[in-house]
Amino acid sequence: MDQNQMDFDIGADKLREECGVFGIYDFDGNDVASTIYYGLFALQHRGQESCGIAVSDTQGPKGKVGTHKGMGLCNEVFTTEILEQMHGNIGVGHVRYSTAGSSTRENAQPLVLNYIKGTLALAHNGNLVNAPQLRHELEYTGAIFQTTIDSEVIAYHIARARVNTPSVESAVSLAMKKLKGAYSLVIMSPRKLIGARDPFGFKPLCIGKRDNAYILASETCALDTIGAEFVRDVEPGEIVTITKDGIVSDREMCPKDPAREARCIFEYIYFARPDSVFDGVSVYHARIQAGRFLAMDAPVEADLVVGVPESGNGAALGYSMESGVPYGTAFVKNSYVGRTFIKPKQSSRESAVRIKLNVLREAVAGKRVIMIDDSIVRGTTSALIVNMLRDAGAIQVHVRISAPPFLHPCYFGTDIPSEDQLIAHGHTVDEIRRIIGADSLSFLQTERLHEMAAGKPVCMACFNGVYPIEPPSADIRGTYEK
């Protein structure tokens, strides 16, 4: 692979999550649009392709929902004027990165449905493995779809169930019995805010409180940003309904055996912000632990240990704490470049990595460097970063990865590609080491993942091929665009 081709492929060499969700119900009647905006701002790392907010007034007309959504970051889609015009004391918000369904404004969320029982606004994080079957079932009964995302399938099934059920939450329960896969949902009806999490607990969802308002959010960092206190996590399989009368919990679909739960391990490794706590486990602490385990299992003599920003930093610190090798900063990150940006063309001399990162020559020149990163997908980014360290004068570069090798695709909302695109699927660790140009290479041992997650049951299918749910026989991601 030549340098230009390597540069061109960089954008596809880091994993991305599907999205983040946020909801709030203010019992005092205060407008919530600006609070949702700041909540989404805190969740921006979970998706940068599109975002949206839907609000309603619980004292006003039942069918009136104010919605604004668009392509881009929160501060690109929303202005002060737009937020000031969005009146309502209940609302939901969403930030999106597409792992299934194309990146278009039509696929931006929240989705708002007007149907015979009123309105429904839904924000969804995750992927369903049986979405094509559920969609066909609806299409054969006359449903017309406006999007190519499985979130619309969920919304339709809830709306249809609601016609013959006494409440929205009972409709959500009926719909959940049909859904297979990963989903954390925040749903707004005219008088209720509902949160739901799949029985495996793949994706995070928590409850917060600020004054006389209750909040649902993908991560606790969003609660901190708006000055709310953490109440608790929504349990895997649980449906919580927030009304003026308080919070009602439906645990019918919660697994009887907690061992059947399967949190996405990559929330701890990479996706979640380090200041978040996911199901009682500090993400920052988990990353420190991963680094400690790497130091125990793959020690090497060196002068400096550094992390690839941002998610490699915690593991690098843990490696340093366990090994005694000094921790340092080797990379300066361009703060104005998000996880997605306009990539250099194939013919361009600019490297997407060099636009994002630069090496501090004074920090690494003449030193044996341990470089900690969170993953290797295709290997192109790792090869470039190792080369950058050598160009800056590092005499040795030892690479440690705070995750096991990727061997299998993910169908639950993480864009881990098909096996033929995963460098670890067809190469040994030593072959990968030679490809990326490192002096040594070690990955986190799969057995360490449970310890990293403080013993919580986690999904490790991308590493060991053991899927909590039977995966589709073919890759269904992007099915509706074909």
Side-chain angles (χ1 to χ4, degrees), residues 2 68 141 184 187 466:
D2 66 31
H68 184 81
T141 58
S184 280
I187 300 158
V466 181

Side-chain angles (χ1 to χ4, degrees), residues 149-168:
I149 53 176
D150 48 9
S151 312
E152 190 174 15
V153 174
I154 299 172
Y156 261 126
H157 274 281
I158 293 171
R160 290 212 166 178
R162 177 67 182 93
V163 174
N164 299 307
T165 53
S167 65
V168 180

Side-chain angles (χ1 to χ4, degrees), residues 232-292:
R232 65 177 179 86
D233 290 289
V234 176
E235 297 174 18
E238 184 184 13
I239 301 169
V240 293
T241 305
I242 299 169
T243 69
K244 281 202 168 185
D245 298 323
I247 299 179
V248 176
S249 172
D250 176 356
R251 290 185 170 85
E252 180 191 354
M253 291 191 65
C254 292
K256 302 295 184 284
D257 180 6
R260 287 184 52 80
E261 297 169 359
R263 294 157 188 82
C264 174
I265 187 62
F266 242 73
E267 293 288 346
Y268 297 113
I269 295 170
Y270 176 63
F271 294 137
R273 249 175 51 169
D275 51 335
S276 286
V277 177
F278 176 25
D279 281 354
V281 178
S282 160
V283 173
Y284 178 70
H285 178 72
R287 291 176 189 170
I288 293 282
Q289 285 294 96
R292 285 187 177 276

Side-chain angles (χ1 to χ4, degrees), residues 25-31 58-59 89 210-213 244:
Y25 187 170
D26 191 307
F27 299 151
D28 289 336
N30 298 310
D31 286 342
T58 58
Q59 302 303 314
N89 65 318
R210 184 182 72 180
D211 300 327
N212 207 20
K244 281 202 168 185

Side-chain angles (χ1 to χ4, degrees), residues 47-68:
Q48 299 92 43
E49 288 192 357
S50 64
C51 59
I53 294 173
V55 296
S56 182
D57 183 356
T58 58
Q59 302 303 314
K62 275 197 171 185
K64 188 176 181 183
V65 177
T67 308
H68 184 81

Side-chain angles (χ1 to χ4, degrees), residues 170-188:
S170 56
V172 172
S173 178
L174 277 175
M176 281 176 64
K177 290 178 172 65
K178 294 184 176 183
L179 309 180
K180 292 181 181 177
Y183 55 89
S184 280
L185 305 172
V186 177
I187 300 158
M188 176 184 75

Side-chain angles (χ1 to χ4, degrees), residues 351-424:
S351 156
V353 167
R354 290 184 186 276
I355 292 168
K356 286 189 173 187
L357 294 176
N358 196 24
V359 178
L360 283 166
R361 292 178 179 273
E362 295 83 355
V364 302
K367 293 181 180 175
R368 301 167 296 174
V369 178
I370 301 170
M371 182 191 96
I372 312 279
D373 205 354
D374 56 76
S375 60
I376 297 180
V377 184
R378 294 169 175 84
T380 48
T381 296
S382 299
L384 271 168
I385 297 176
V386 169
N387 190 53
M388 286 166 62
L389 286 169
R390 292 200 188 281
D391 286 347
I395 56 174
Q396 291 180 13
V397 181
H398 302 276
V399 177
R400 299 292 180 267
I401 304 297
S402 60
F406 284 123
L407 298 173
H408 309 279
C410 175
Y411 301 100
F412 309 118
T414 302
D415 67 342
I416 298 172
S418 55
E419 291 165 348
D420 61 346
Q421 297 181 61
L422 296 170
I423 191 171

